[in-house]
Amino acid sequence: MIQPDDRSPDLSLDLPDLRTRVDNDREPLRELLRIFKTEFPFLLKSLQEAVVRGDMKGVKVKAHTIKGMLANVSFAWAAASAACLEHMGLQCVTQGPPEELAGFEQEASLPLAEHGPCCKGIVR
Amino acid sequence: MKILIADDDVISRCLVQKTLDREGYEVLVVENGSSAAECLSSDEGPRLALLDWVMPGLDGLSVCRQIRSVSNHPYVYMILLTSKESKEDIVRGFEAGADDYLTKPCDPKELKARLRAGQRILQLQDKLIQEARQDPLTRLPNRTFFLDQLARCVTRAKRRPDYKFAILFVDIDGFKIVNDSLGHFAGDHLIVQIAERLVSSVRRDDLVSCSADVTGRVKQSGEDTLARMGGDEFTILLDDIRDASDGIRVAERIQQKLASPFLISGQEVSITASIGIAISATGYSTAEDILRDADTAMYRAKALGKSRYEICDPAMHARAVSRLKLETDLRRAMDRDEFRVHYQPIVSLRGCRIIGFEALLRWQRPGFGLVMPGEFVEVAEETGQIPFIGLWVLREACRQMRAWNLQFPSDPAFTIAVNISGKQFAQPDLVSRVRDILHEACLDPQSLRLELTESVTMRDVERTARILGELRTLGVGLSIDDFGTGYSSLSHLRRFPLDTLKIDRSFVSEVENSSDSRAIVQMIISLGRSLGMEIVAEGVEAAKQAGLLESLGCEYAQGYFFSKPIDQEGMAEVLLESRGSAYKLPQQSVLRQNVIRQ
């Protein structure tokens, strides 16, 4: 079980929400974060490539997947940022995505940075 | 319970799967819509599904639509997983066939609660389907389920010429007697026990009976189905047989299994079954067709003495088709004005004068010519048309009699005899109908004679006496037709206000050669005279018969010797020609050759 002391610091990760989602079970949480660590960089890279190519359909699809993944691991701010990119892809807005992507990358750097201490805090 | 998760997001899949694993579900996981549709469409596939809305290729909405388009598949409860929250999107999801939706990321408690709701709905639905397709008494499949399975077999037989199946239609002989004597509860008990024995008769060594599986699962080839159609009727579908011998084997096994007595309410009850067999090889386009042929064969088995089986052969099939056409044509005959009344004169044996007529029904059936009542009256009785046809004949005969009595005055006036069938006599408003018809035709009631058979009058003697009394009060004459062939109680006969006894043609035809027939005719004449009745001999075909009947004291006769039944115009011609001789019929040879028109 996850103990109250294991709470993550005041970061963008909503840890109580994530704990609820795994029924306070440490094992699945560890597995989720491991998957996230593996999958997220690839997804981010493919999103970046779609933005560079101006492939707005690709932006929409990749941003949607990233949004879902971030929401599932309770990074609500980053998920909201991905949703903006998805919306741009949906609307085929060609002006703006690189700037939006830059903003998103900033948001997304937090989950990537946070998942380390978070895991250390949760998973012994 | 099996559940499918279809999601391209690995984390989402993982989260949901963990939750469901903990709940004890058997979880199947796929990453795209096409795999989801394939999995859900398969036999024994999951009936609960969590479908991500947005997936590469086939999305969740398309999967819902695809699954809902297959009508004969067991119901799948589908929940869409979506981040879409607009009302329009939710409506689109439901319209595509989704049963519920969950917003991502899923809250585990909400997920579990919604799945429990889905399971409850599936269980309720299964129960309803089960009840709709199952006979509540025996727990066997019912008629609906059986016809559904049969329709699949008919379709398969159309696709595969080598595929054969058989239907056995089983009817319990004398079940009504058990029901009437021991009561309905005992009857139900017997039906349950019969069903158990039938189940054990049907199961073939190498095949599995699917009699209990009525939830909608697609029947596999080679499975037999036993169903209760209602009452004491059962049907068996033998799937994928080699030939008719497979059906015969099962029929013989059923007879054997039912042979030992049943213990019902502490009493031993013995029953037998009549079985009709129809084989798909004959070629059928609908389930109802082959079922009807099996039913026809069963009726044939009954007619041939019960406790036996009969196979529907091509001739029987042809008879069934012919009977169906007869029924259809007969239903239209009245509206199409195809019925006719022919008239046979009744003559006085002394003087050979026409004293009246018997009205006889004919049917001018398109493509078949003039059809005699023997070919259609039984069907008309079974289909409930006979009272209407009977009233039509009565109305037509009365109208014609009135016209002839005006055109061809006679002293006494001519009478018209009209047959009344058992079903007509049973109508509660018979007397008022007769009164109305006489009134419409302006016919003197004394010109009408209603003819009933012995068996009709003896069914309910009290009622017969009352109805005949009321008819007599109207002034209508009453005859007993075909006298001597049925069972009559002389004491009852005395109570009925009858005017005429008609000696059946079977005695008349033998009166010359059989001393027994002659004695019976003599006895009927004596009986009638002693009761103050007139006597009419039917079916007189020869001069010698006419002479002999007259010598025995019979006053009146009808038959081919005098005239065949002829149509209205023909009879009017006879009356016109004989008017000058007080309606004395001309020389027989002349009449038969020149006058009578059939």
Side-chain angles (χ1 to χ4, degrees):
Chain A
M1 286 292 288
I2 301 164
Q3 300 303 314
D5 293 338
D6 294 337
R7 266 184 295 180
S8 64
D10 188 20
L11 300 172
S12 60
L13 169 67
D14 186 350
L15 193 54
D17 180 60
L18 186 55
R19 281 174 180 162
T20 308
R21 202 162 298 130
V22 293
D23 271 357
N24 272 347
D25 194 341
R26 181 179 293 134
E27 183 54 37
L29 180 56
R30 187 171 58 181
E31 192 179 341
L32 280 182
L33 293 173
R34 191 180 297 126
I35 293 168
F36 177 76
K37 183 187 169 189
T38 311
E39 296 291 325
F40 186 76
F42 290 106
L43 281 170
L44 183 60
K45 189 163 182 285
S46 62
L47 175 64
Q48 288 163 336
E49 286 168 358
V51 170
V52 170
R53 282 198 310 273
D55 170 13
M56 299 318 287
K57 193 179 171 189
V59 169
K60 182 192 80 175
V61 172
K62 300 299 173 191
H64 176 81
T65 309
I66 286 173
K67 178 190 75 177
M69 183 174 275
L70 287 166
N72 274 320
V73 289
S74 301
F75 285 109
W77 281 104
S81 187
C84 289
L85 272 167
E86 183 190 5
H87 186 72
M88 287 179 147
L90 186 69
Q91 302 293 321
C92 288
V93 179
T94 48
Q95 298 294 314
E99 293 76 17
E100 195 66 39
L101 178 66
F104 170 69
E105 282 169 342
Q106 199 176 350
E107 291 283 355
S109 63
L110 281 170
L112 285 169
E114 278 178 11
H115 106 273
C118 181
C119 283
K120 278 175 198 162
I122 295 165
V123 185
R124 297 188 197 284
Chain B
M1 185 167 197
K2 271 190 214 169
I3 184 165
L4 175 76
I5 303 169
D7 199 330
D8 60 327
D9 177 355
V10 59
I11 289 186
S12 177
R13 282 201 307 267
C14 186
L15 263 172
V16 174
Q17 185 174 3
K18 293 287 176 197
T19 305
L20 299 182
D21 281 343
R22 273 196 295 271
E23 287 296 298
Y25 286 98
E26 185 185 339
V27 185
L28 307 174
V29 181
V30 294
E31 296 176 18
N32 57 64
S34 303
S35 303
E38 193 181 331
C39 178
L40 293 173
S41 306
S42 63
D43 287 342
E44 313 293 334
R47 298 187 56 206
L48 269 175
L50 291 162
L51 306 170
D52 187 21
W53 186 307
V54 181
M55 287 186 281
L58 213 57
D59 62 12
L61 283 190
S62 305
V63 175
C64 287
R65 285 194 198 98
Q66 196 166 313
I67 295 302
R68 291 289 178 256
S69 67
V70 184
S71 60
N72 61 356
H73 196 271
Y75 195 83
V76 180
Y77 191 87
M78 293 183 286
I79 301 175
L80 280 173
L81 304 177
T82 176
S83 55
K84 296 173 189 287
E85 287 178 352
S86 78
K87 282 182 183 170
E88 289 78 8
D89 283 333
I90 292 164
V91 169
R92 275 209 304 146
F94 283 120
E95 282 177 351
D99 297 287
D100 201 355
Y101 74 98
L102 269 168
T103 311
K104 287 169 85 174
C106 300
D107 176 76
K109 282 182 184 158
E110 189 185 2
L111 172 65
K112 285 184 272 188
R114 287 190 189 253
L115 285 174
R116 277 195 293 273
Q119 271 182 284
R120 277 199 299 273
I121 287 170
L122 285 177
Q123 280 163 2
L124 189 64
Q125 196 191 38
D126 285 353
K127 190 166 174 276
L128 287 172
I129 291 172
Q130 184 93 354
E131 283 171 2
R133 295 170 152 244
Q134 197 177 57
D135 168 46
L137 180 64
T138 60
R139 299 280 167 204
L140 289 175
N142 64 10
R143 184 186 183 86
T144 307
F145 180 80
F146 186 83
L147 283 173
D148 189 39
Q149 297 296 324
L150 188 53
R152 290 178 204 276
C153 290
V154 170
T155 307
R156 195 178 304 147
K158 284 180 194 166
R159 282 201 312 263
R160 286 176 38 199
D162 60 324
Y163 167 76
K164 292 191 190 84
F165 64 93
I167 300 295
L168 272 67
F169 204 112
V170 182
D171 187 279
I172 306 304
D173 301 322
F175 176 73
K176 194 174 179 303
I177 296 168
V178 177
N179 235 3
D180 291 348
S181 56
L182 299 179
H184 288 277
F185 183 75
D188 285 354
H189 193 192
L190 177 61
I191 286 292
V192 171
Q193 289 194 32
I194 289 170
E196 285 165 5
R197 292 198 195 179
L198 288 177
V199 168
S200 65
S201 314
V202 166
R203 192 166 294 137
R204 288 183 274 176
D205 294 342
D206 53 340
L207 300 172
V208 180
S209 168
C210 72
S211 58
D213 185 3
V214 291
T215 54
R217 182 175 69 87
V218 175
K219 194 171 87 69
Q220 301 301 307
S221 177
E223 291 181 355
D224 299 336
T225 305
L226 165 65
R228 182 178 177 221
M229 302 301 265
D232 58 346
E233 290 178 344
F234 296 87
T235 47
I236 298 158
L237 167 60
L238 299 179
D239 192 24
D240 210 6
I241 58 166
R242 281 162 297 183
D243 51 42
S245 65
D246 283 340
I248 291 171
R249 258 192 294 278
V250 175
E252 285 175 345
R253 204 180 303 156
I254 289 170
Q255 307 275 28
Q256 202 182 345
K257 292 266 185 185
L258 297 180
S260 51
F262 294 81
L263 192 64
I264 306 292
S265 305
Q267 266 189 267
E268 275 199 357
V269 174
S270 293
I271 53 104
T272 56
S274 296
I275 303 170
I277 305 172
I279 311 291
S280 67
T282 316
Y284 291 95
S285 55
T286 68
E288 285 76 11
D289 286 349
I290 186 167
L291 190 64
R292 194 174 60 189
D293 273 6
D295 190 27
T296 306
M298 184 276 290
Y299 272 107
R300 189 166 164 74
K302 287 240 186 243
L304 291 172
K306 301 180 180 175
S307 188
R308 56 186 290 155
Y309 62 83
E310 281 293 315
I311 300 177
C312 183
D313 57 23
M316 203 186 287
H317 179 76
R319 278 198 296 276
V321 171
S322 161
R323 153 87 190 212
L324 178 67
K325 183 162 170 42
L326 180 70
E327 271 184 38
T328 312
D329 289 354
L330 197 54
R331 281 183 209 286
R332 297 172 182 155
M334 186 72 87
D335 290 340
R336 294 181 178 182
D337 199 21
E338 290 169 2
F339 289 122
R340 304 280 180 269
V341 177
H342 280 200
Y343 301 88
Q344 186 172 43
I346 298 170
V347 301
S348 61
L349 282 168
R350 183 181 298 171
C352 206
R353 286 194 169 81
I354 296 173
I355 60 121
F357 313 88
E358 180 173 356
L360 295 158
L361 174 65
R362 300 289 185 264
W363 177 17
Q364 191 67 51
R365 187 181 180 193
F368 291 82
L370 200 65
V371 181
M372 299 291 124
E375 293 177 47
F376 65 88
V377 160
E378 194 184 321
V379 176
E381 284 201 348
E382 285 172 20
T383 54
Q385 290 170 277
I386 205 71
F388 306 106
I389 297 173
L391 282 177
W392 178 84
V393 172
L394 183 61
R395 188 173 288 113
E396 185 62 20
C398 288
R399 187 196 57 74
Q400 188 59 58
M401 194 67 265
R402 164 72 174 163
W404 281 341
N405 276 344
L406 287 175
Q407 194 181 351
F408 305 107
S410 167
D411 188 20
F414 292 132
T415 59
I416 184 83
V418 181
N419 293 290
I420 298 290
S421 71
K423 287 206 172 162
Q424 239 182 310
F425 191 69
Q427 299 286 306
D429 58 351
L430 175 71
V431 177
S432 61
R433 292 277 192 158
V434 171
R435 187 192 298 117
D436 292 347
I437 287 171
L438 284 167
H439 182 73
E440 277 170 35
C442 300
L443 182 68
D444 179 354
Q446 290 185 355
S447 293
L448 174 64
R449 295 234 154 150
L450 298 180
E451 296 191 353
L452 298 109
T453 60
E454 286 176 282
S455 55
V456 168
T457 56
M458 293 298 160
R459 266 177 216 162
D460 179 350
V461 174
E462 293 304 318
R463 181 179 180 274
T464 299
R466 182 171 53 82
I467 300 293
L468 294 185
E470 288 174 21
L471 288 168
R472 167 51 72 83
T473 306
L474 283 182
V476 172
L478 300 163
S479 303
I480 290 287
D481 204 7
D482 306 334
F483 190 74
T485 55
Y487 163 77
S488 285
S489 159
L490 294 181
S491 63
H492 288 147
L493 207 59
R494 206 159 54 87
R495 289 179 57 194
F496 302 152
L498 299 168
D499 303 281
T500 310
L501 282 186
K502 294 185 88 171
I503 306 169
D504 187 68
R505 64 182 61 244
S506 60
F507 303 117
V508 172
S509 65
E510 296 291 318
V511 74
E512 292 172 84
N513 309 317
S514 160
S515 56
D516 286 350
S517 292
R518 198 156 51 245
I520 291 169
V521 168
Q522 177 71 74
M523 188 272 292
I524 294 171
I525 292 168
S526 302
L527 174 72
R529 294 181 82 162
S530 65
L531 292 172
M533 297 184 204
E534 290 176 351
I535 310 296
V536 178
E538 293 181 293
V540 177
E541 293 186 346
K544 275 189 179 176
Q545 289 172 351
L548 192 54
L549 286 162
E550 191 187 354
S551 71
L552 291 171
C554 182
E555 299 164 278
Y556 306 106
Q558 65 186 93
Y560 279 22
F561 175 66
F562 305 104
S563 171
K564 287 180 179 179
I566 51 180
D567 62 18
Q568 171 200 323
E569 290 83 8
M571 188 51 71
E573 220 172 293
V574 172
L575 290 169
L576 193 65
E577 286 182 13
S578 60
R579 182 161 51 182
S581 58
Y583 306 108
K584 182 176 180 178
L585 286 174
Q587 289 292 317
Q588 299 315 307
S589 56
V590 175
L591 183 70
R592 290 171 77 94
Q593 286 167 21
N594 301 332
V595 180
I596 295 172
R597 293 198 315 225
Q598 182 61 33

